[in-house]
Amino acid sequence: MGERPDPRSDPRIPERRRGLRHAWDATGYSLAGLRRLSRETAARMECLGAALGAAALWGAGASAVDVLVAAILFLLLLAVEAINTALEVLTNRVSPGWSEEAKDVKDLGSLAVGLLILANAGWVAAVCTGLA
């Protein structure tokens, strides 16, 4: 087996910085993740669902607290969608062929997203019907 190259000599790996520079770098990584997530059809559909939910909340005269809860639930949904996408990308990399374990990883990630979609829809429905 060949030796692994020293990561410090790989020009694709950025130098680790500290303080405000680290925060700046982390922001850039987050924005890159957002750009990657925006290429996912599911994430775009979830954004459309959030827009429809926001319109329903506005039409129902939802309170600021109701809208804040909906916004937090939507951000959680996007966060879980990002993790699910990362799991799928990594699974495809380490298990390019079909395997029961790879299927389980993808199914469980999908379940997590689906449960948060239900939570988002449930909250909007509860607010719009006066149950919340």
Side-chain angles (χ1 to χ4, degrees):
M1 294 204 166
E3 288 187 35
R4 298 181 76 190
D6 182 356
R8 292 171 294 184
S9 65
D10 189 337
R12 295 172 297 174
I13 300 174
E15 175 187 340
R16 187 139 199 227
R17 303 191 299 179
R18 298 189 182 283
L20 288 177
R21 290 181 188 171
H22 173 75
W24 180 260
D25 292 344
T27 300
Y29 303 145
S30 295
L31 291 173
L34 182 60
R35 283 190 300 274
R36 172 59 182 87
L37 187 62
S38 72
R39 296 194 326 248
E40 290 293 312
T41 301
R44 292 193 306 270
M45 290 173 60
E46 290 154 5
C47 288
L48 175 61
L52 293 172
L57 290 172
W58 181 76
S63 72
V65 172
D66 293 336
V67 173
L68 178 63
V69 170
I72 291 169
L73 282 171
F74 173 66
L75 291 174
L76 283 171
L77 174 58
L78 281 186
V80 171
E81 183 64 55
I83 292 168
N84 182 47
T85 298
L87 285 170
E88 289 177 352
V89 168
L90 186 58
T91 300
N92 290 342
R93 170 75 177 174
V94 300
S95 183
W98 188 92
S99 72
E100 190 67 35
E101 295 82 5
K103 180 185 181 309
D104 288 346
V105 168
K106 292 181 177 189
D107 289 351
L108 289 166
S110 180
L111 172 64
V113 170
L115 291 173
L116 263 172
I117 288 171
L118 287 175
N120 275 263
W123 177 253
V124 170
V127 170
C128 290
T129 60
L131 295 175

